[in-house]
Each structure stands twice: as C-alpha cells, then as structure tokens.
Amino acid sequence: MKNKRLTEEHRFLGRVRVNDEWHFAIIILQPDLELHIFLPMFPSYEEIPKIIEGQIEDWNIKINNGFVSVSFRYYDDFNSLSEKINLGREEKIVFQKNDYKKIWAEITLLPKICTFTKIESPTDTPDEWGITFYPAKNNDMLFHFFNNYRNPQDRLPNIFSINDGNLYFSNKEQWTIISIQKRLKLLTSCVSFFTGAPVSYELLVGRYKKEVLFIQFKNESNPYAYVCPSRYNSRIEIKENFLPVFSSVLIKKVEDIFNDPNREKILKLLSYFKMLYITLYKEAKIALSFQLMESLANYKEMQLRNSLKNNIIKNLCKKFSEKMCSTCNSLIQGEIKSETDDFDKYIGEALDAIRTEESFVVNPNSIKEIARKYRNELFHGNFFEDMTEIDNLVMTLPDGYRKDLPLVLQAIVTMIGVNFILGIEFNQLIALKSSNKTWFYHC
C-alpha cells in the first residue's frame, strides 16, 4: 500500500543502526514514506538496519518497528553512485576516505511504522490524542464515539499532505508517546466490538494546546488480508445518553486492562472475537459464538454446565422406561440435574437488549444449547448430517431470530464481551446488523 503522506521528497543525512553499531547514511524519504538509504557496506551485505534516524525541517524521524518491504542494490564504483545522487560536500565529509573504496549499497525500505516528533517539543505527554482507524469504514463508523471538534485551524503541519481525519480523545490518563504505543493494540481490539470487524489504525497524532507534537504513520502490507468477513456481522452501538462519556470510559478501561494481571487472558479473548468477525460461514459463526461463551465464562470463573450427561440419561429413560421398575426409574430420574446456569443470566440480559418487536420470550438455555450443538457438529466432525435435533430447537425461536441466527448469536456473545471486558451495562447497549459487502468484494 503506497499512499502519499508527505507533500514532497526529503533528503537528509541520517544514521542507521546495524549490528549494534551506528553508521552515517544519506537518506531520501519519498512522499509515500519509502526510504532510499545510501551507505558504505558493513560486513554483512544484506543486514537490514534495525533503527533509522534523521531530521527534516522541525521534525525528528525514527523508524524501528520493522519493514513492509526491503530491497538491496550495490555499487562497485563509488563515482557512479556519487553522480546518481549528486553527493554534496557536506555529505562527503562525514564519511572517511577508506569508505569510498568500499562497496556501497542502496537499501530501499518501506517501514511498517514511521514516527515524526517535533524538535524541542515542550512535553512528551500531549493533552489529546487522535487516531485514524483503519479501514476507513471503521473510522466512519466510530466517528460519533469520540470528541471530534476539529476545524481548519487544526490541520496538520505543511510537510504532511494528508487531512486530519483523526478521532480525538482527551489524554486524562496522561499517556506519553511510549505509553500509547504500548496500548494501541489493546485499544484497537476493544473498539472492534463496535465495528463488528477487526480494527487497525493508520495515523496517530498527539497535540498539546492544539499544536501537533507527534505523528505516527502505519503502513499495512496487505490491507484487506484480515477484512474478509461474511456479508453481514453484528456490531454493538452505544445508547445516545451514554455517548458523551463513552470515550473517557473506554480509555480508562484500556488503562485498567493494561495494568491488570489478567491482561494476557483479556488479549486472548479479544483475539477470539477477531476470529469470530472474520469467519465466513454461518455454521462457524454459531459454533465460535459458543466457544466464546465458554471462554468468557471461564474468564469470570463460571462454568457452562454441559447438558450432554442429562440428555444421555433422558434418552436412556425414554428407551428403557417400560423395562425398568418404578424404583429404578425414579433413581435414574433423580440423576437428571437442573440445567439452570449462572451464565444464562448474562445471555438473558443480552437477549433483552437485542429483543425484536416480536412479543416472544426466548429461553437463554435454548440459545446456549443451539450454539453448543453447532459447536459439536463443527468441531467434533459430524458434518451436519442429522440436523433434526438442532432444527427442532431453532423452530422454537421467533422468525427474525431464525432468519439471522448467526448474527443473533454473535450479538449476544459480543454484548457479553462488552459487559465483561469493558464493564458497560447491558441497558446502554444496542445490537446492529452491519453490512460488510464493501470489504467482501475487496478480498
């Protein structure tokens, strides 16, 4: 993906770090952030620099997070290289005479992440941060979740060619530049609840008293690789009365999770939701919804009671009832346990929040059992050959639920995820059906 980020090409004398040593280099930075680095060869002919630093105008540039693409070209004759890039006197004097006798390399790199920090910045803690979420549809969908009061006077500095389409939030958590970089993955994963699709970002901007102090670009090597979901997904919307405080609640929760001893468990849960959002087939959506129910229950130290044992006993009683005496029948019937489940409470609250206009009460346990049976069919290799039992359960649901069953299951488990992970009450949540056809046709 090559987008124009800068208004023009910049050339500067910078330095690169290779094998724990710094080397001077002539660097040409293209408007799409591709770098052409010229320097005398170090011992390894194809050693990729780990850090690249330089300065253009009022900005320090740093690249240290890997590269989307890398290529090498070599020059045996330094004079031909000098003619090609028109090496100036000030550039020549930083190299030693024996450097001109070496093989020189032109390394072309497209960085995954490129940062610009204002020289002599008054602080490394902006008073507001802005993010442009990726893909663009995600950014549009999340627009009203954040405080967006940008005006023409708040545009980006002139060296940058892009418009400021960031979604801003006040930096009350006092995140420094390093702090927010560590939290970006967690933040984008949390907002995916509200897009029904994986979320990344392409631009991060830090402002202090409206002045831009920090800009970070992210290049996606294959921007549509992870956005090939089914035609529709469920996503969660926030009720209007809660929207004014949503961004501050979200940011505080991200900070709490980041410092939580169970952070890795939560990150895994969020990665499971990403799997759910990119699942194409409806049977897999339902099956994964149940797997997520189990994971969320375990996270809250609950157990989803397995009705398999009860079903076996019920079937045995039905099959052999006429051959058993009343005493034996009573003993076996006594082994049938109540199928109420602590987790059913949360399924019920999610169902209440997404209930359609149809006057119909849905049994949370029925929803759970439908999802469980789909899981068993999909992951236990039964190939959906005999769907009678599942179909009978599905037929107990209202028409709207049956028609969009995968989305209903996804909405239920996503609402529970928002409640468990972000702490937002069910009565503040709305489930929506979101079209993915724009992304689907790019796959």
Side-chain angles (χ1 to χ4, degrees), residues 311 369-377 389-390 393:
N311 289 340
E369 287 310 306
I370 290 169
R372 188 199 303 273
K373 291 181 186 301
Y374 267 92
R375 187 279 307 271
N376 292 345
E377 289 290 325
E389 190 175 0
I390 294 177
L393 277 172

Side-chain angles (χ1 to χ4, degrees), residues 26-243:
I26 299 160
I27 301 173
I28 298 175
L29 180 62
Q30 302 285 354
D32 62 4
L33 299 183
E34 186 176 79
L35 296 108
H36 296 258
I37 302 170
F38 301 87
L39 74 169
M41 281 307 299
F42 20 86
S44 175
Y45 273 62
E46 292 191 354
E47 188 72 31
I48 301 172
K50 291 182 172 60
I51 304 175
I52 301 167
E53 294 181 349
Q55 177 182 330
I56 59 173
E57 297 187 15
D58 298 329
W59 299 88
N60 285 321
I61 303 167
K62 187 169 184 178
I63 296 156
N64 64 343
N65 294 91
F67 306 97
V68 171
S69 60
V70 181
S71 64
F72 289 81
R73 181 179 178 182
Y74 305 105
Y75 297 87
D76 293 324
D77 182 357
F78 172 73
N79 290 329
S80 62
L81 169 64
S82 181
E83 290 176 4
K84 175 183 175 178
I85 63 173
N86 193 21
L87 204 63
R89 182 178 178 278
E90 291 183 359
E91 294 170 330
K92 288 181 179 180
I93 61 176
V94 302
F95 299 103
Q96 298 178 7
K97 288 185 178 180
N98 62 352
D99 287 333
Y100 300 118
K101 300 176 183 178
K102 297 178 180 177
I103 294 174
W104 277 58
E106 176 184 355
I107 310 175
T108 303
L109 307 166
L110 182 63
K112 289 182 179 178
I113 294 174
C114 185
T115 64
F116 296 78
T117 306
K118 193 72 178 291
I119 296 172
E120 298 182 356
S121 173
T123 177
D124 68 346
T125 308
D127 54 23
E128 58 178 346
W129 282 107
I131 301 177
T132 298
F133 293 103
Y134 183 88
K137 184 174 181 179
N138 285 341
N139 205 60
D140 294 341
M141 202 176 292
L142 293 168
F143 185 85
H144 62 286
F145 286 83
F146 292 84
N147 301 320
N148 293 285
Y149 45 84
R150 301 268 68 79
N151 58 62
Q153 284 72 40
D154 295 328
R155 62 179 179 269
L156 297 179
N158 291 334
I159 71 165
F160 303 104
S161 65
I162 61 174
N163 295 322
D164 187 358
N166 285 284
L167 309 185
Y168 279 87
F169 58 88
S170 298
N171 189 23
K172 293 180 181 178
E173 294 298 326
Q174 296 296 294
W175 287 346
T176 63
I177 292 169
I178 294 174
S179 297
I180 196 170
Q181 288 172 327
K182 292 179 178 179
R183 291 158 174 79
L184 275 172
K185 181 180 178 181
L186 176 58
L187 176 58
T188 54
S189 296
C190 286
V191 298
S192 68
F193 287 130
F194 308 101
T195 61
V199 177
S200 184
Y201 77 96
E202 60 180 348
L203 181 64
L204 173 68
V205 174
R207 292 178 179 269
Y208 183 72
K209 297 181 179 179
K210 305 299 180 184
E211 183 183 1
V212 177
L213 302 183
F214 175 84
I215 295 183
Q216 178 168 298
F217 293 100
K218 182 179 181 183
N219 292 307
E220 296 289 346
S221 58
N222 185 356
Y224 296 106
Y226 63 93
V227 280
C228 287
S230 54
R231 196 172 185 85
Y232 295 98
N233 265 344
S234 292
R235 68 180 182 90
I236 303 303
E237 183 59 74
I238 298 295
K239 289 186 177 178
E240 191 171 345
N241 65 308
F242 191 72
L243 276 175

Side-chain angles (χ1 to χ4, degrees), residues 305-312 339 365 369 372-373:
R305 292 190 177 91
N306 192 336
S307 64
L308 178 61
K309 181 180 177 181
N310 273 3
N311 289 340
I312 292 172
E339 293 187 7
N365 189 61
E369 287 310 306
R372 188 199 303 273
K373 291 181 186 301

Side-chain angles (χ1 to χ4, degrees), residues 202-332:
E202 60 180 348
L203 181 64
L204 173 68
V205 174
R207 292 178 179 269
Y208 183 72
K209 297 181 179 179
K210 305 299 180 184
E211 183 183 1
V212 177
L213 302 183
F214 175 84
I215 295 183
Q216 178 168 298
F217 293 100
K218 182 179 181 183
N219 292 307
E220 296 289 346
S221 58
N222 185 356
Y224 296 106
Y226 63 93
V227 280
C228 287
S230 54
R231 196 172 185 85
Y232 295 98
N233 265 344
S234 292
R235 68 180 182 90
I236 303 303
E237 183 59 74
I238 298 295
K239 289 186 177 178
E240 191 171 345
N241 65 308
F242 191 72
L243 276 175
V245 299
F246 171 79
S247 62
S248 58
V249 169
L250 173 68
I251 300 307
K252 185 178 187 309
K253 195 62 185 180
V254 168
E255 181 64 15
D256 291 344
I257 293 171
F258 187 82
N259 295 303
D260 191 322
N262 290 317
R263 180 178 67 184
E264 290 305 314
K265 290 183 180 179
I266 298 171
L267 285 170
K268 285 180 181 178
L269 278 171
L270 292 168
S271 71
Y272 298 159
F273 276 101
K274 179 178 178 180
M275 291 171 60
L276 177 62
Y277 297 144
I278 65 175
T279 297
L280 177 60
Y281 298 104
K282 62 180 183 180
E283 295 88 355
K285 271 189 189 298
I286 298 172
L288 283 171
S289 293
F290 181 78
Q291 292 294 94
L292 262 166
M293 287 182 191
E294 285 193 321
S295 297
L296 288 165
N298 288 335
Y299 170 65
K300 283 290 188 177
E301 298 182 346
M302 301 176 189
Q303 291 294 325
L304 265 71
R305 292 190 177 91
N306 192 336
S307 64
L308 178 61
K309 181 180 177 181
N310 273 3
N311 289 340
I312 292 172
I313 296 172
K314 288 176 183 177
N315 290 334
L316 287 172
C317 287
K318 183 178 179 180
K319 183 175 181 179
F320 298 107
S321 60
E322 295 181 0
K323 298 180 180 181
M324 290 189 295
C325 67
S326 58
T327 302
C328 291
N329 191 39
S330 296
L331 286 172
I332 294 176

